[in-house]
Amino acid sequence: MSREQLVVQQARKAFLTGRSKPLDFRTQQLKNLKRFITERQKEITDALKRDLNKSENATLIYELLGLEGEISLALSKLSEWAAPRPVTKNLLTISDEVFIQPEPLGVVLIIGAWNYPITVTLQPLVGAIAAGNATVVKPSEVSVHTAKVMELLPLYLDPEMYPVVTGGVQETQELLKQRFDHIFYTGSSTVGKVVMEAAARHLTPVILELGGKSPCYIDKDCDLKIACRRVTWGKYVNCGQTCIAPDYILCEPSIQNKVVEEIKKCIKEFYTEDPKTFRDYGRIINQRHFKRIMALIEDSTVAVGGENDESQCYIAPTVLKDVIPESKVMQEEIFGPVLPIVPVNGVNEAIQFINEREKPLVLYVFSSSKKVIKQIIAETSSGGLLANDCLVHFTVTDLPFGGVGNSGIGHYHGKYTFDQLSHLRSCLIKNLSMERVNQMRYPPHSVEKMRWARLLLLKQVNLGRWRQLAHAVMLAALAAFVTQRFLR
């Protein structure tokens, strides 16, 4: 029996004890997770510095701050999320208890990614713990130093309920042979298909947070200085290794040179004349990805940047201009600090260009025209859409984060993670009295019974509205009594 099989069996055995169902247990585990990121902050920041050359402040802002907020939200809302949820009744069920009861799915597998190895691995874990599941955590082996830090998790969380499995492709493949009750994967579409195929053998549901080429349309009538400033930040943070980074720009030829110049100014402002020596500019994760990215720009014109150093996995913030759809850089997600500009003749051609390709994880549009923004919303499809900024929709916990089609399946953040990793159980509790009401459903059937069935089944009853009405009547009666008794 493999180590992975033993770990999953142990997690399932722990789950079947029922100890993760009480909210007190879940609350304590969430507090322990928060303690992990607080007490191990030094180890986390050191590991990310070694893996991706992230500065300490960048790690705090882009990895830990949002995670801390996610835990705090779950702690404050857990009792509300886990409570029975009343639903609208019909006349036939007006005297019954009808509600949705969230319940744990069982054993969840979370396969993390290497680009933000703490947040994209532990944010789903927050929802899994809150929902009452046991969870096997598989950090990415590519961010090797951060994976080592993740091995410390069982010192804080229930080690049987929340084991951590490290290793590479072989270990992941062995995990995928096991039966889980849900699999949450963050990574590429190629591996996502492998995960989904493995899950299908056990009819296991999945959340696939993938990626793709997220377009950014810049309208000629917008404030180019501000637009390019925000695009520059969104593109080059984490050295371009962000699944929701703008992958390429679409703009009219008349503003292309202006866009290039504005981005060039912002690169200098953000990362100095020499980004290679600047503490807040990262590195490509490894040489394999370095070579892949450099190969993508071979047949394109470099307008800004292009400097590189394979020994340090360094690629300068780079802009490509006059890029054609057939170029290498337009055939796959870049996932690096390279920003192609593809000239198009206006918004209609931009929309056509976007719709001829796979649905992206996010679509960016910069425009001062609400008409243009609404047109792009109406005539395209993407996991998310953000107008006049980049990345920040990820910070809104009330927005479901996820892709569509090739960019992903399912969504998460806040209550959405809790619901996705719960079974929303339909419950109806009926009394054994009032049997006369049920006569219309028993044979022999008749026209008269059909009339009653139509009334009882099709008439929806909004009890909340009736309660408001009753409350208003009571207040009116009280006001009338007070007026009559004391004010006459």
Side-chain angles (χ1 to χ4, degrees):
M1 186 178 291
S2 69
R3 175 181 65 124
E4 291 75 22
Q5 189 174 357
L6 284 170
V7 165
V8 177
Q9 283 188 2
Q10 178 181 273
R12 191 168 297 282
K13 183 178 179 181
F15 173 76
L16 291 174
T17 65
R19 66 176 180 261
S20 67
K21 287 194 174 183
L23 298 192
D24 287 346
F25 175 88
R26 307 182 202 182
T27 297
Q28 188 57 55
Q29 296 302 306
L30 289 170
K31 289 179 178 178
N32 290 347
L33 182 59
K34 197 170 189 176
R35 191 162 58 86
F36 165 75
I37 64 175
T38 301
E39 294 182 1
R40 298 294 177 172
Q41 181 177 304
K42 180 67 165 61
E43 289 97 325
I44 291 170
T45 55
D46 287 350
L48 283 163
K49 179 67 176 178
R50 297 176 70 183
D51 284 331
L52 289 152
N53 198 46
K54 286 188 183 181
S55 68
E56 180 179 353
N57 286 333
T59 294
L60 296 178
I61 294 170
Y62 299 118
E63 293 272 4
L64 302 185
L65 191 60
L67 178 59
E68 186 178 342
E70 193 86 359
I71 296 171
S72 297
L73 177 68
L75 285 169
S76 66
K77 295 287 187 178
L78 180 57
S79 58
E80 176 187 325
W81 293 348
R85 305 173 188 181
V87 298
T88 301
K89 303 179 185 181
N90 55 34
L91 285 173
L92 186 65
T93 58
I94 191 170
S95 64
D96 305 329
E97 291 183 65
V98 187
F99 57 93
I100 297 167
Q101 179 62 64
E103 64 178 20
L105 287 171
V107 182
V108 173
L109 171 62
I110 295 174
I111 304 175
W114 54 260
N115 58 329
Y116 292 88
I118 295 294
T119 191
V120 301
T121 306
L122 297 188
Q123 272 205 12
L125 180 60
V126 173
I129 292 173
N133 299 294
T135 307
V136 178
V137 179
K138 172 60 180 69
S140 172
E141 73 281 4
V142 179
S143 49
V144 59
H145 300 99
T146 311
K148 282 288 184 183
V149 177
M150 296 287 268
E151 290 179 346
L152 301 174
L153 260 179
L155 298 178
Y156 294 82
L157 304 180
D158 185 316
E160 295 178 338
M161 194 76 69
Y162 310 106
V164 175
V165 176
T166 55
V169 174
Q170 183 177 342
E171 287 76 11
T172 304
Q173 289 176 337
E174 187 62 32
L175 278 174
L176 289 173
K177 292 178 183 177
Q178 314 309 314
R179 185 178 76 80
F180 290 93
D181 299 291
H182 208 291
I183 297 176
F184 193 117
Y185 167 76
T186 303
S188 69
S189 299
T190 301
V191 178
K193 293 173 184 176
V194 175
V195 172
M196 193 169 184
E197 183 178 355
R201 298 191 192 103
H202 301 288
L203 295 179
T204 298
V206 296
I207 295 175
L208 303 178
E209 293 295 339
L210 308 177
K213 298 184 75 63
S214 294
C216 176
Y217 175 68
I218 300 180
D219 191 24
K220 65 180 180 181
D221 295 326
C222 78
D223 186 325
L224 290 181
K225 185 175 182 178
I226 292 177
C228 291
R229 183 179 179 83
R230 294 177 184 180
V231 170
T232 302
W233 169 72
K235 178 62 181 182
Y236 299 112
V237 68
N238 201 35
C239 205
Q241 297 164 118
T242 305
C243 63
I244 51 173
D247 191 89
Y248 60 93
I249 288 174
L250 298 171
C251 68
E252 294 190 29
S254 61
I255 65 169
Q256 181 180 216
N257 289 337
K258 180 67 172 174
V259 168
V260 170
E261 286 305 310
E262 290 297 335
I263 293 176
K264 184 177 181 180
K265 291 177 187 176
C266 292
I267 291 171
K268 181 180 177 180
E269 178 190 348
F270 294 169
Y271 303 111
T272 74
E273 290 275 12
D274 186 12
K276 188 176 182 180
T277 60
F278 187 61
R279 68 180 184 277
D280 280 324
Y281 187 71
R283 294 295 184 270
I284 303 304
I285 185 68
N286 56 33
Q287 289 190 338
R288 181 173 70 85
H289 281 280
F290 173 90
K291 292 175 180 177
R292 177 189 62 80
I293 295 166
M294 291 306 300
L296 293 179
I297 67 177
E298 288 175 349
D299 60 349
S300 296
T301 302
V302 175
V304 178
E307 299 84 8
N308 62 90
D309 182 346
E310 184 175 346
S311 67
Q312 292 191 26
C313 291
Y314 168 78
I315 300 176
T318 299
V319 180
L320 309 176
K321 69 175 185 177
D322 293 318
V323 175
I324 59 174
E326 296 75 25
S327 62
K328 290 181 181 179
V329 77
M330 293 303 294
Q331 305 313 307
E332 64 178 75
E333 183 179 9
I334 298 167
F335 223 64
V338 176
L339 182 58
I341 301 178
V342 181
V344 292
N345 293 314
V347 64
N348 291 326
E349 188 172 315
I351 289 171
Q352 181 181 350
F353 188 93
I354 293 166
N355 288 339
E356 287 173 348
R357 286 155 181 79
E358 295 284 3
K359 294 179 180 180
L361 184 55
V362 61
L363 195 165
Y364 297 108
V365 51
F366 286 83
S367 177
S368 301
S369 168
K370 289 185 177 180
K371 181 180 178 182
V372 169
I373 294 170
K374 288 181 179 179
Q375 181 184 357
I376 291 178
I377 292 174
E379 297 181 15
T380 62
S381 178
S382 59
L385 182 138
L386 186 51
N388 297 323
D389 209 343
C390 292
L391 311 187
V392 295
H393 64 299
F394 187 85
T395 67
V396 183
T397 54
D398 280 345
L399 283 177
F401 179 81
V404 58
N406 204 62
S407 59
I409 295 172
H411 49 260
Y412 74 118
H413 279 185
K415 185 173 181 286
Y416 295 102
T417 319
F418 180 91
D419 284 353
Q420 291 269 289
L421 298 180
S422 298
H423 170 55
L424 301 182
R425 192 179 194 181
S426 301
C427 299
L428 188 151
I429 302 174
K430 184 180 283 290
N431 292 319
L432 288 171
S433 58
M434 299 179 65
E435 182 64 4
R436 287 184 63 85
V437 178
N438 296 320
Q439 289 303 317
M440 61 90 182
R441 73 188 186 189
Y442 299 140
H445 302 301
S446 66
V447 173
E448 184 64 21
K449 288 182 177 181
M450 179 61 193
R451 290 197 192 100
W452 279 106
R454 179 175 292 277
L455 173 65
L456 295 174
L457 289 173
L458 300 185
K459 184 67 175 177
Q460 298 292 309
V461 180
N462 189 333
L463 291 179
R465 186 176 175 185
W466 281 102
R467 289 191 191 99
Q468 290 176 355
L469 183 61
H471 186 62
V473 170
M474 289 175 62
L475 287 175
L478 179 61
F481 171 77
V482 171
T483 301
Q484 185 176 23
R485 180 71 175 81
F486 298 105
L487 301 180
R488 288 185 63 180

